[in-house]
Amino acid sequence: MESLTIGQLAQRAGVGVETIRFYEREGLISEPPRRPSGYRDYSLETVARIVFIRRAKDLGSKLREINELLELRVRPRRNCAQVKRSADSKIADIEGKIVSLRRMRRALKDLTRACEERTPTTECPILASLGKPESR
């Protein structure tokens, strides 16, 4: 069985060494045994696990959610329903963020239209709006 050093693992998985150490601290990957030389001895399976973590992060999953997905992945008696619920929940979160981002963009566009570039900063509508308390 081929084993990898942390540098080799990082290169194959496309992450930095510190990312691997972080994943170990967070419990997403287990700390491997050490060689007599003191180097960590990672398996090739760890590459696949890190790639899985990276892809899940790219899809917006938080570390807690990724850990749950990893647990589901190793339970052969479970079905895809829980994974689908997790994905549906993530989609709803993303849609909520899109609505929020559109609202922010609209507000910033309104503020930039009100801005006259030669106005002193003491009269800048953008800065003034940031200092106002929110009305609810």
Side-chain angles (χ1 to χ4, degrees):
M1 181 175 91
E2 185 180 357
S3 64
L4 307 168
T5 64
I6 194 167
Q8 293 168 327
L9 173 63
Q11 185 177 19
R12 287 199 187 181
V15 299
V17 169
E18 287 305 314
T19 299
I20 293 170
R21 291 184 179 131
F22 174 73
Y23 290 165
E24 286 176 0
R25 285 191 304 271
E26 295 297 314
L28 294 171
I29 60 174
S30 55
E31 189 173 326
R34 292 189 182 264
R35 298 177 184 171
S37 63
Y39 286 102
R40 296 171 182 195
D41 202 12
Y42 292 93
S43 70
L44 286 175
E45 294 170 4
T46 311
V47 175
R49 191 169 176 100
I50 292 173
V51 169
F52 180 95
I53 294 166
R54 274 191 33 235
R55 288 184 179 155
K57 281 186 67 175
D58 289 346
L59 291 173
S61 297
K62 294 177 175 62
L63 294 181
R64 176 189 50 77
E65 296 165 332
I66 293 170
N67 209 11
E68 291 170 4
L69 291 173
L70 287 166
E71 287 296 318
L72 288 171
R73 196 171 169 211
V74 297
R75 293 184 185 158
R77 292 193 174 150
R78 303 300 294 258
N79 61 35
C80 287
Q82 191 167 354
V83 178
K84 183 181 183 309
R85 280 193 297 275
S86 178
D88 287 340
S89 174
K90 183 55 59 187
I91 290 168
D93 289 346
I94 291 168
E95 288 172 348
K97 288 177 185 177
I98 290 170
V99 168
S100 178
L101 287 168
R102 285 185 176 143
R103 191 177 315 123
M104 285 187 268
R105 181 181 62 195
R106 201 170 29 253
L108 281 170
K109 281 186 173 186
D110 290 346
L111 288 171
T112 57
R113 277 193 290 273
C115 184
E116 295 179 26
E117 294 176 20
R118 295 180 188 224
T119 304
T121 56
T122 55
E123 299 172 27
C124 176
I126 297 171
L127 295 175
S129 74
L130 294 174
K132 290 180 185 177
E134 286 187 50
S135 57
R136 292 190 185 230

